[in-house]
Amino acid sequence: MKKRAESMAENRAKLLAAARKAFAAHGYAAASMDELTSSVGLTRGALYHNFGDKKGLLSAVVDQIDSEMADYAHQLGAQAGDAWQGLLVEGTAYIEMALNPEVQRIVLLDGPAVLGDPSQWPSQSSCLQSTRQTVVKLIADGTMQQVDAEAAARLLNGAALNAALWVAASPEPKTVLPKAIEAFRVLAGGFLAKAN
Amino acid sequence: MKKRAESMAENRAKLLAAARKAFAAHGYAAASMDELTSSVGLTRGALYHNFGDKKGLLSAVVDQIDSEMADYAHQLGAQAGDAWQGLLVEGTAYIEMALNPEVQRIVLLDGPAVLGDPSQWPSQSSCLQSTRQTVVKLIADGTMQQVDAEAAARLLNGAALNAALWVAASPEPKTVLPKAIEAFRVLAGGFLAKAN
DNA sequence: AAATTTGACATACGAACTGTATGCCAGATA
DNA sequence: TATCTGGCATACAGTTCGTATGTCAAATTT
């Protein structure tokens, strides 16, 4: 005799967890909803009732992972010495997190293909929001040149995440990762205000 | 009484052209192979004989578009004053080309999701090869800092193409495009060797 | 030049998947 | 206690891809 809402929340969580696994393992297109739901003792009925359709389920999963990433990166960045170092740390963190197959497959590959550009996701992409905030601060205090904050955030994130895809696809990720991080930091330096 | 090879080449070209349209219009997943083939007076028999499977067809289309992009960008870059300006022109060209829905949908969204990271495409991504060459030259002549050429090319391309996705998804692309280009050029400046 | 073979493409079939429409029953409500 | 709501299961319809088989024109051989 569980409460109604409680058991429903449990099922939602079960489905989300199963979807994370299934999407990461087989990719969005090849993930079978029948298999996914039965793996947690439910049927597609529960899925379509809770998430509307397959795309809705992906959207929820992307939202969850994206939030976790933003939280972690933001927290790491806040520990850095100054805000500029924080930005670099954040970027580095994105590169490293994107080596996780779950992040890569779901957020970087299938996410944009199925849901469209991250900037128009329901979650508005927490990752982008987070780095945008930092950028705004850095422009205000004169550390960064006066460029469009949104654009700068997009470029930094795009570069970082793309670098991660490259590292992950390379035959020797361990060797290539430091090169990617180094190049990212050098590149990001372009935004620094010229010292006069 | 056409020659065998000739009529086969015609059919291949017809299918490729139809696939470009269909993939761009509906996306890879939603593009029906029956509809696509019958639109040029053929059946799926011709398709599976020529391209193996649906993925093979996408691969061929991506290859074609990617080559066209690289050719155009490289040609434009070569007209610039010096090699550094050429790199910036190339990057700008990628941003502008990626506003084309065909490029965006097929090469930037569905391509990576279905075929994996561009660096492991059969074509090896002509776009990446092209900018990598320029980067190598610029490092050799001391214009750019000594970073890994592959990494630099990946970061620049990633930033540019990602910026384009952002511009295209924005409500007012015309207004946002110049901001993206400006930010890209500032960012790329990070790779410049420090003037001593 | 006639006969034979090849292979490019069409046709037919099977399996899988998504989304919807309907039914059922535990738990909420009165 | 009786009624009702709604979360979830079940059954069904419509598509789609990939393969296996057939066919006929064009190339090859004799």
Side-chain angles (χ1 to χ4, degrees):
Chain A
M1 46 167 11
K2 281 178 191 165
K3 279 190 190 166
R4 203 79 185 278
E6 181 183 348
S7 109
M8 191 177 174
E10 276 178 17
N11 286 342
R12 258 189 77 98
K14 276 190 206 169
L15 290 172
L16 265 177
R20 260 177 97 139
K21 275 188 210 160
F23 287 151
H26 313 120
Y28 175 79
S32 163
M33 298 321 227
D34 263 326
E35 194 174 79
L36 189 161
T37 50
S38 70
S39 80
V40 290
L42 295 169
T43 70
R44 279 181 329 182
L47 194 160
Y48 282 90
H49 188 76
N50 278 295
F51 297 96
D53 58 358
K54 191 177 181 178
K55 207 150 85 171
L57 179 60
L58 176 65
S59 187
V61 171
V62 162
D63 212 64
Q64 194 182 52
I65 300 181
D66 176 58
S67 294
E68 291 174 9
M69 288 175 67
D71 283 353
Y72 177 69
H74 195 72
Q75 174 193 334
L76 225 61
Q79 294 174 359
D82 56 49
W84 174 253
Q85 287 302 321
L87 188 69
L88 295 184
V89 168
E90 253 187 76
T92 306
Y94 285 135
I95 296 182
E96 284 167 349
M97 282 189 290
L99 296 181
N100 175 0
E102 218 177 38
V103 171
Q104 204 168 116
R105 178 83 245 174
I106 299 178
V107 179
L108 302 185
L109 296 179
D110 287 332
V114 177
L115 306 174
D117 190 74
S119 59
Q120 56 187 356
W121 287 354
S123 66
Q124 269 258 63
S125 187
S126 308
C127 288
L128 278 172
Q129 296 290 348
S130 173
T131 76
R132 204 187 83 93
Q133 275 189 2
T134 310
V135 166
V136 167
K137 197 191 307 170
L138 284 166
I139 292 177
D141 73 13
T143 307
M144 274 181 60
Q145 294 189 45
Q146 290 202 350
V147 293
D148 187 84
E150 193 92 21
R154 256 324 269 258
L155 287 166
L156 287 172
N157 259 327
L161 298 177
N162 228 290
L165 284 179
W166 167 59
V167 172
S170 82
E172 289 183 25
K174 298 282 176 193
T175 318
V176 177
L177 177 58
K179 293 182 189 170
I181 293 177
E182 169 65 13
F184 173 78
R185 292 184 170 232
V186 171
L187 178 63
F191 279 143
L192 278 172
K194 314 287 185 198
N196 346 335
Chain B
M1 40 151 43
K2 282 177 190 166
K3 281 191 189 165
R4 204 83 184 277
E6 182 184 347
S7 108
M8 192 178 171
E10 277 178 17
N11 285 342
R12 258 190 77 99
K14 275 191 208 169
L15 290 173
L16 264 176
R20 257 177 101 138
K21 273 188 212 160
F23 286 151
H26 314 292
Y28 174 79
S32 162
M33 299 318 246
D34 262 326
E35 195 174 87
L36 187 162
T37 50
S38 70
S39 80
V40 290
L42 294 169
T43 70
R44 278 184 329 184
L47 194 161
Y48 282 91
H49 188 74
N50 278 294
F51 297 96
D53 58 357
K54 191 176 181 179
K55 207 151 84 172
L57 180 61
L58 176 65
S59 186
V61 171
V62 162
D63 212 64
Q64 195 182 51
I65 300 181
D66 176 59
S67 294
E68 290 174 10
M69 288 175 68
D71 284 354
Y72 177 70
H74 196 71
Q75 174 193 333
L76 225 63
Q79 295 174 0
D82 56 51
W84 174 252
Q85 287 301 321
L87 188 70
L88 295 184
V89 168
E90 254 187 76
T92 306
Y94 284 135
I95 296 182
E96 283 167 350
M97 283 189 289
L99 296 181
N100 174 1
E102 219 177 37
V103 171
Q104 205 168 116
R105 179 84 244 174
I106 300 178
V107 179
L108 302 185
L109 296 179
D110 286 332
V114 177
L115 306 174
D117 189 74
S119 59
Q120 56 187 356
W121 288 354
S123 66
Q124 268 257 59
S125 186
S126 308
C127 289
L128 278 173
Q129 297 291 346
S130 173
T131 76
R132 203 187 82 94
Q133 276 187 1
T134 309
V135 166
V136 167
K137 199 191 308 170
L138 284 166
I139 292 177
D141 73 13
T143 306
M144 274 181 61
Q145 295 189 45
Q146 291 201 350
V147 293
D148 187 83
E150 192 92 21
R154 254 327 266 259
L155 287 166
L156 287 171
N157 258 328
L161 298 177
N162 228 291
L165 284 179
W166 168 60
V167 172
S170 83
E172 290 183 24
K174 300 281 178 194
T175 318
V176 178
L177 178 57
K179 293 182 190 170
I181 293 176
E182 169 65 14
F184 174 77
R185 293 184 169 232
V186 171
L187 177 62
F191 279 143
L192 278 173
K194 313 288 185 198
N196 349 331

